[in-house]
Amino acid sequence: MATRDLSIGMMFLLQTIIGILGNFSLVYHFLFLYFTGCKFRSTDLILKHLTVANLLVILSKGVPETMAAFGLKLFLKDIGCKLVFYVHRVGRDVSIGTTCLLSVFQVIMISPSNSRWAELKVKAPNYTGASNILCWILNMMLNILVPFHMTDKRNNTNIRKKIDHGYCYAVFSGNIITQSLYILLVLFSHGFCLVLMVWASGSMIFLLHRHQQRVQYIHRNNLTPRSSLEIRATQSILVLVCTFVSLWTLSSIFLICLAFFNKPSLWLKNVSTLIAACFPTVSPYILMSHDPRVSRFCFA
């Protein structure tokens, strides 16, 4: 095995291990809170769905990419390629959707009681479960065409247009109009979520700034515990959303470069894949670092 392939394989392996450990630590954190009788936050249900989606992304992308980088190219059959890429697309899109839902939900919850969100602020916690389930269903339906475009490398197809992912082929055949409409639909859904996240981030910054101005004459120790917890929760979600938007923008730039070049280099492909998997890897550490319940014992 070449030194370059070994280095790439080690990077994928390290990222996959860090991501799996981080997300399983977050799962353990929620289980610990449940069995010790802690009171859950209104955003915890959304975070659980986000953690599951991130795990699906890491397992369906990080593990195959690591195996392919270490020289294992034919470990998936046709059904395996279809399943792995379908799970990855669904997990990735659910991760985007739940991050968007999380940011919008937090803006509603921290809005003043006399704002236009006052009525929705009371009802919003009752709809988080249904909203998460709807997010899963919509993304499973949206990506239903993905398995039809994936095949294993043993299939010596004569289709001219195909993309080699190292361990599977993505083939493109059929109606160009249908494929274009599908791509536009995916881009619209991603763009819509991104716009909502940017709006929610700006709104959270504005609300936090106004809150800071309102209590600037009060000593920090005189803040109520509830107010302090709400501020920390908002800050963690704000950091999470800003991280997502930054990584999504960087990943999109690399994807455009991949589409622009006829024969993109292996380095460009690998860097693009590593960046695309960064958010599922780092997001649990961002959430746990801003959650005071992680660093102290909680009793029923």
Side-chain angles (χ1 to χ4, degrees):
M1 181 184 297
T3 305
R4 184 182 62 181
D5 295 335
L6 181 61
S7 301
I8 294 171
M10 291 302 298
M11 285 190 293
F12 279 123
L13 179 62
L14 182 62
Q15 186 186 55
T16 302
I17 292 174
I18 293 174
I20 291 175
L21 288 176
N23 283 281
F24 272 111
S25 297
L26 198 57
V27 171
Y28 170 77
H29 168 57
F30 286 124
L31 289 175
F32 176 78
L33 294 178
Y34 174 78
F35 286 112
T36 53
C38 285
K39 184 179 179 181
F40 281 92
R41 292 175 179 170
S42 53
T43 55
D44 282 347
L45 180 59
I46 304 176
L47 292 177
K48 292 174 187 177
H49 285 267
L50 177 62
T51 303
V52 173
N54 287 340
L55 277 172
L56 290 179
V57 172
I58 293 172
L59 293 175
S60 61
K61 195 66 173 178
V63 175
E65 288 288 346
T66 302
M67 296 175 67
F70 280 119
L72 299 173
K73 303 291 186 180
L74 302 175
F75 58 90
L76 285 177
K77 295 184 179 180
D78 186 65
I79 186 65
C81 286
K82 297 180 186 300
L83 181 62
V84 163
F85 275 83
Y86 179 70
V87 170
H88 172 256
R89 292 290 183 86
V90 172
R92 182 198 64 182
D93 291 353
V94 170
S95 179
I96 296 173
T98 50
T99 305
C100 175
L101 179 63
L102 182 67
S103 59
V104 173
F105 179 81
Q106 188 65 15
V107 169
I108 295 173
M109 295 308 296
I110 67 173
S111 59
S113 300
N114 58 352
S115 68
R116 58 184 176 179
W117 302 106
E119 184 178 353
L120 189 57
K121 184 176 181 178
V122 179
K123 298 179 180 180
N126 298 326
Y127 295 103
T128 53
S131 299
N132 281 296
I133 293 174
L134 181 62
C135 182
W136 282 98
I137 294 174
L138 289 177
N139 285 295
M140 289 173 70
M141 294 174 61
L142 180 64
N143 291 286
I144 197 67
L145 295 178
V146 172
F148 296 99
H149 294 284
M150 302 308 304
T151 184
D152 66 321
K153 301 199 71 172
R154 299 179 185 86
N155 187 5
N156 295 319
T157 180
N158 294 321
I159 297 175
R160 289 179 297 176
K161 191 174 182 181
K162 59 185 178 181
I163 298 177
D164 187 1
H165 288 279
Y167 50 94
C168 291
Y169 282 134
V171 296
F172 298 92
S173 61
N175 194 334
I176 298 178
I177 298 177
T178 303
Q179 294 178 8
S180 300
L181 289 175
Y182 172 72
I183 293 173
L184 287 175
L185 182 61
V186 173
L187 291 176
F188 173 78
S189 64
H190 288 185
F192 180 71
C193 289
L194 191 66
V195 169
L196 281 179
M197 279 187 273
V198 172
W199 167 80
S201 299
S203 300
M204 281 189 279
I205 292 173
F206 171 75
L207 290 172
L208 286 176
H209 177 68
R210 191 167 66 173
H211 176 80
Q212 184 180 9
Q213 287 183 326
R214 188 175 299 171
V215 298
Q216 62 182 352
Y217 59 92
I218 303 175
H219 193 269
R220 183 182 181 90
N221 294 332
N222 290 333
L223 287 175
T224 62
R226 178 178 176 82
S227 176
S228 179
L229 288 174
E230 285 181 350
I231 292 173
R232 287 196 70 172
T234 304
Q235 290 173 343
S236 69
I237 294 173
L238 187 59
V239 172
L240 186 74
V241 173
C242 291
T243 303
F244 174 84
V245 173
S246 301
L247 291 173
W248 185 89
T249 304
L250 188 60
S251 177
S252 298
I253 294 173
F254 275 89
L255 288 175
I256 292 172
C257 293
L258 286 173
F260 180 76
F261 295 110
N262 292 327
K263 293 182 179 180
S265 64
L266 181 63
W267 176 86
L268 191 63
K269 290 181 180 179
N270 291 326
V271 171
S272 177
T273 304
L274 286 168
I275 293 174
C278 276
F279 178 74
T281 302
V282 303
S283 60
Y285 297 100
I286 294 174
L287 292 169
M288 289 187 292
S289 65
H290 288 81
D291 193 342
R293 298 172 299 176
V294 175
S295 58
R296 63 182 174 83
F297 289 103
C298 184
F299 298 97

